Amino acid sequence: MTNHNRRRLLLQAPAFLAVPLFLAGCGEAPIDTDEDVDNAARPRQGKSTTVKQGSGQKPVVALTFDDGPHPTLTPKLLEILDDRNIRATFYVVGHKVERHPALVKRIRREGHEIGNHSWSHANLANRSDEMVLSELRRTNEAVQKATGRRPTTMRPPFGAMSPRQSRLVQAKLRMPTVLWSIDSLDYTGSSSATITNRILRRAHNGAIILNHDIHARTIQAMPATIEGLKKRGFRFVTVSKLIG
Ligand SMILES: [Zn+2]
């Protein structure tokens, strides 16, 4: 081998070897998945794991109620929903589930969906990955214990979670992040009539409507809200049904 050829081989070899090294190192670091998560459930890079509304093809809406269960208000709401044969979704707080397991069981028994709203209602956006997963796992376990079923979707308190955290939660727990397209602003002290008008004015196909079943005015607003939505031809489904 001439010196020239030897030199050419030395130059070519590193370039050839560098290809797989480059591929292995590109993109962001993959998120390890739990043993109970198959690869099909892993979100593709850049794919959104956050949902704010349904497809909008059908006149359906999802009523959602956060921050409960509340020992006196949630049962009143359940009566209203049951009388009208409506299914809603409750984003419950884990430590309240632990205090009121029978009520959570009743919510589920009456056909509603139970979602995960963290254990302590902390702002998860500035918590470590470990803390975020711990808040959600602990709540999943409490709901599972109370109802026999684990929540399949989650909503971060204050709607606060980064896209990276949402991907982590999807990868680790198979739970999409569910936000909302209509905020009833029922936590601002609005009257029940204002809450109803706010929802009806913005109602649209596939809407996910944010309410809280810890305010008396929210519960008082529901009969007229439901009536108004029905008059406009909307049907009521759970979040899981809405987002398929
Ligand atoms: Zn909340």
Side-chain angles (χ1 to χ4, degrees), residues 25-211:
C26 74
E28 71 186 49
I31 297 165
D32 289 336
T33 55
D34 274 2
E35 60 286 349
D36 64 337
V37 176
D38 56 46
N39 280 331
R42 282 178 78 148
R44 266 176 279 140
Q45 238 174 52
K47 191 186 171 197
S48 177
T49 54
T50 301
V51 182
K52 290 183 178 174
Q53 59 185 57
S55 70
Q57 285 166 351
K58 290 179 187 166
V60 289
V61 297
L63 287 175
T64 67
F65 298 93
D66 291 13
D67 295 4
H70 186 284
T72 58
L73 295 175
T74 303
K76 282 183 188 164
L77 174 62
L78 288 173
E79 292 293 319
I80 292 168
L81 296 174
D82 194 46
D83 284 349
R84 292 156 181 80
N85 199 25
I86 281 167
R87 307 283 172 266
T89 303
F90 291 77
Y91 282 98
V92 294
V93 178
H95 76 87
K96 296 185 182 179
V97 174
E98 195 176 51
R99 279 178 64 189
H100 309 290
L103 182 49
V104 177
K105 192 177 180 180
R106 178 181 165 191
I107 296 173
R108 176 67 211 150
R109 197 178 59 230
E110 296 187 3
H112 306 291
E113 178 174 355
I114 295 176
N116 187 327
H117 197 43
S118 85
W119 181 264
S120 66
H121 206 269
N123 184 338
L124 301 179
N126 48 31
R127 300 294 164 108
S128 68
D129 289 352
E130 212 169 288
M131 185 68 86
V132 168
L133 294 172
S134 158
E135 285 264 346
L136 297 174
R137 283 196 176 114
R138 215 174 150 192
T139 303
N140 278 349
E141 281 161 20
V143 173
Q144 170 99 43
K145 201 174 155 197
T147 68
R149 284 180 76 162
R150 206 196 77 149
T152 55
T153 68
M154 67 84 59
R155 173 176 283 162
F158 318 105
M161 204 149 88
S162 72
R164 195 195 66 78
Q165 285 177 310
S166 286
R167 288 198 299 275
L168 173 85
V169 170
Q170 173 69 46
K172 289 280 192 183
L173 304 176
R174 276 189 293 188
M175 303 179 88
T177 301
V178 175
L179 300 178
W180 54 86
S181 61
I182 299 177
D183 186 347
S184 73
L185 298 173
D186 58 344
Y187 48 89
T188 60
S190 302
S191 70
S192 57
T194 302
I195 293 169
T196 295
N197 289 337
R198 209 172 262 142
I199 294 170
L200 294 183
R201 221 172 35 233
R202 300 181 55 196
H204 62 89
N205 283 6
I208 296 178
I209 304 169
L210 172 67
N211 303 286

